[in-house]
mmCIF file of all heavy atoms in Angstrom:
data_model
loop_
_atom_site.group_PDB
_atom_site.id
_atom_site.type_symbol
_atom_site.label_atom_id
_atom_site.label_comp_id
_atom_site.label_asym_id
_atom_site.label_seq_id
_atom_site.Cartn_x
_atom_site.Cartn_y
_atom_site.Cartn_z
ATOM 1 N N LEU A 47 -16.655 -15.114 41.151
ATOM 2 C CA LEU A 47 -15.805 -16.045 40.407
ATOM 3 C C LEU A 47 -16.328 -17.474 40.546
ATOM 4 O O LEU A 47 -16.320 -18.249 39.573
ATOM 5 C CB LEU A 47 -14.364 -15.938 40.897
ATOM 6 C CG LEU A 47 -13.637 -14.638 40.499
ATOM 7 C CD1 LEU A 47 -12.298 -14.546 41.212
ATOM 8 C CD2 LEU A 47 -13.436 -14.588 38.983
ATOM 9 N N ALA A 48 -16.815 -17.816 41.730
ATOM 10 C CA ALA A 48 -17.392 -19.148 41.911
ATOM 11 C C ALA A 48 -18.657 -19.317 41.071
ATOM 12 O O ALA A 48 -18.880 -20.366 40.447
ATOM 13 C CB ALA A 48 -17.703 -19.390 43.394
ATOM 14 N N GLU A 49 -19.488 -18.277 41.036
ATOM 15 C CA GLU A 49 -20.694 -18.338 40.223
ATOM 16 C C GLU A 49 -20.350 -18.436 38.738
ATOM 17 O O GLU A 49 -21.028 -19.141 37.976
ATOM 18 C CB GLU A 49 -21.562 -17.112 40.485
ATOM 19 C CG GLU A 49 -22.220 -17.107 41.867
ATOM 20 C CD GLU A 49 -23.013 -15.847 42.136
ATOM 21 O OE1 GLU A 49 -23.357 -15.125 41.164
ATOM 22 O OE2 GLU A 49 -23.300 -15.559 43.317
ATOM 23 N N ALA A 50 -19.293 -17.739 38.316
ATOM 24 C CA ALA A 50 -18.886 -17.792 36.909
ATOM 25 C C ALA A 50 -18.424 -19.203 36.534
ATOM 26 O O ALA A 50 -18.738 -19.702 35.438
ATOM 27 C CB ALA A 50 -17.781 -16.782 36.650
ATOM 28 N N ARG A 51 -17.707 -19.841 37.442
ATOM 29 C CA ARG A 51 -17.277 -21.225 37.164
ATOM 30 C C ARG A 51 -18.483 -22.152 37.066
ATOM 31 O O ARG A 51 -18.512 -23.075 36.232
ATOM 32 C CB ARG A 51 -16.301 -21.693 38.252
ATOM 33 C CG ARG A 51 -14.942 -20.989 38.194
ATOM 34 C CD ARG A 51 -13.939 -21.654 39.114
ATOM 35 N NE ARG A 51 -14.238 -21.445 40.523
ATOM 36 C CZ ARG A 51 -13.796 -20.423 41.244
ATOM 37 N NH1 ARG A 51 -13.013 -19.499 40.695
ATOM 38 N NH2 ARG A 51 -14.102 -20.321 42.532
ATOM 39 N N ALA A 52 -19.482 -21.897 37.909
ATOM 40 C CA ALA A 52 -20.689 -22.723 37.859
ATOM 41 C C ALA A 52 -21.437 -22.519 36.545
ATOM 42 O O ALA A 52 -21.941 -23.483 35.943
ATOM 43 C CB ALA A 52 -21.593 -22.394 39.044
ATOM 44 N N VAL A 53 -21.510 -21.274 36.086
ATOM 45 C CA VAL A 53 -22.147 -21.005 34.795
ATOM 46 C C VAL A 53 -21.398 -21.716 33.677
ATOM 47 O O VAL A 53 -22.005 -22.338 32.788
ATOM 48 C CB VAL A 53 -22.214 -19.485 34.524
ATOM 49 C CG1 VAL A 53 -22.583 -19.203 33.069
ATOM 50 C CG2 VAL A 53 -23.205 -18.811 35.459
ATOM 51 N N GLN A 54 -20.078 -21.630 33.708
ATOM 52 C CA GLN A 54 -19.277 -22.260 32.662
ATOM 53 C C GLN A 54 -19.508 -23.768 32.602
ATOM 54 O O GLN A 54 -19.420 -24.381 31.531
ATOM 55 C CB GLN A 54 -17.790 -21.966 32.892
ATOM 56 C CG GLN A 54 -16.886 -22.345 31.735
ATOM 57 C CD GLN A 54 -17.171 -21.544 30.481
ATOM 58 O OE1 GLN A 54 -17.467 -20.360 30.547
ATOM 59 N NE2 GLN A 54 -17.082 -22.189 29.325
ATOM 60 N N GLY A 55 -19.827 -24.361 33.733
ATOM 61 C CA GLY A 55 -20.037 -25.802 33.771
ATOM 62 C C GLY A 55 -21.461 -26.244 33.516
ATOM 63 O O GLY A 55 -21.739 -27.452 33.535
ATOM 64 N N ARG A 56 -22.372 -25.332 33.255
ATOM 65 C CA ARG A 56 -23.763 -25.703 33.048
ATOM 66 C C ARG A 56 -23.955 -26.445 31.720
ATOM 67 O O ARG A 56 -23.377 -26.054 30.688
ATOM 68 C CB ARG A 56 -24.662 -24.466 33.095
ATOM 69 C CG ARG A 56 -24.894 -23.970 34.503
ATOM 70 C CD ARG A 56 -25.688 -22.692 34.549
ATOM 71 N NE ARG A 56 -27.020 -22.820 33.948
ATOM 72 C CZ ARG A 56 -27.973 -21.889 34.076
ATOM 73 N NH1 ARG A 56 -27.733 -20.792 34.806
ATOM 74 N NH2 ARG A 56 -29.133 -22.053 33.494
ATOM 75 N N GLU A 57 -24.777 -27.450 31.740
ATOM 76 C CA GLU A 57 -25.043 -28.219 30.526
ATOM 77 C C GLU A 57 -25.800 -27.404 29.485
ATOM 78 O O GLU A 57 -25.697 -27.677 28.281
ATOM 79 C CB GLU A 57 -25.840 -29.481 30.877
ATOM 80 C CG GLU A 57 -25.063 -30.488 31.719
ATOM 81 C CD GLU A 57 -25.859 -31.753 31.990
ATOM 82 O OE1 GLU A 57 -27.034 -31.815 31.545
ATOM 83 O OE2 GLU A 57 -25.313 -32.668 32.634
ATOM 84 N N ASP A 58 -26.542 -26.411 29.945
ATOM 85 C CA ASP A 58 -27.322 -25.589 29.011
ATOM 86 C C ASP A 58 -26.602 -24.298 28.636
ATOM 87 O O ASP A 58 -27.232 -23.341 28.170
ATOM 88 C CB ASP A 58 -28.688 -25.270 29.611
ATOM 89 C CG ASP A 58 -28.596 -24.496 30.935
ATOM 90 O OD1 ASP A 58 -27.484 -24.396 31.501
ATOM 91 O OD2 ASP A 58 -29.639 -24.013 31.416
ATOM 92 N N LEU A 59 -25.296 -24.232 28.805
ATOM 93 C CA LEU A 59 -24.526 -23.009 28.544
ATOM 94 C C LEU A 59 -24.834 -22.436 27.164
ATOM 95 O O LEU A 59 -24.966 -21.207 27.007
ATOM 96 C CB LEU A 59 -23.031 -23.294 28.673
ATOM 97 C CG LEU A 59 -22.086 -22.120 28.383
ATOM 98 C CD1 LEU A 59 -22.249 -21.022 29.435
ATOM 99 C CD2 LEU A 59 -20.631 -22.596 28.343
ATOM 100 N N ALA A 60 -24.919 -23.276 26.158
ATOM 101 C CA ALA A 60 -25.101 -22.813 24.783
ATOM 102 C C ALA A 60 -26.468 -22.191 24.535
ATOM 103 O O ALA A 60 -26.697 -21.627 23.453
ATOM 104 C CB ALA A 60 -24.881 -23.971 23.811
ATOM 105 N N ARG A 61 -27.360 -22.272 25.522
ATOM 106 C CA ARG A 61 -28.700 -21.709 25.347
ATOM 107 C C ARG A 61 -28.989 -20.566 26.313
ATOM 108 O O ARG A 61 -30.120 -20.070 26.346
ATOM 109 C CB ARG A 61 -29.754 -22.810 25.536
ATOM 110 C CG ARG A 61 -29.645 -23.947 24.532
ATOM 111 C CD ARG A 61 -30.864 -24.848 24.577
ATOM 112 N NE ARG A 61 -31.113 -25.397 25.900
ATOM 113 C CZ ARG A 61 -30.530 -26.501 26.369
ATOM 114 N NH1 ARG A 61 -29.644 -27.157 25.639
ATOM 115 N NH2 ARG A 61 -30.820 -26.951 27.576
#
Side-chain angles (χ1 to χ4, degrees):
L47 289 171
E49 289 177 18
R51 290 190 290 271
V53 167
Q54 191 64 38
R56 284 175 60 168
E57 293 183 358
D58 60 348
L59 178 66
R61 299 192 304 275

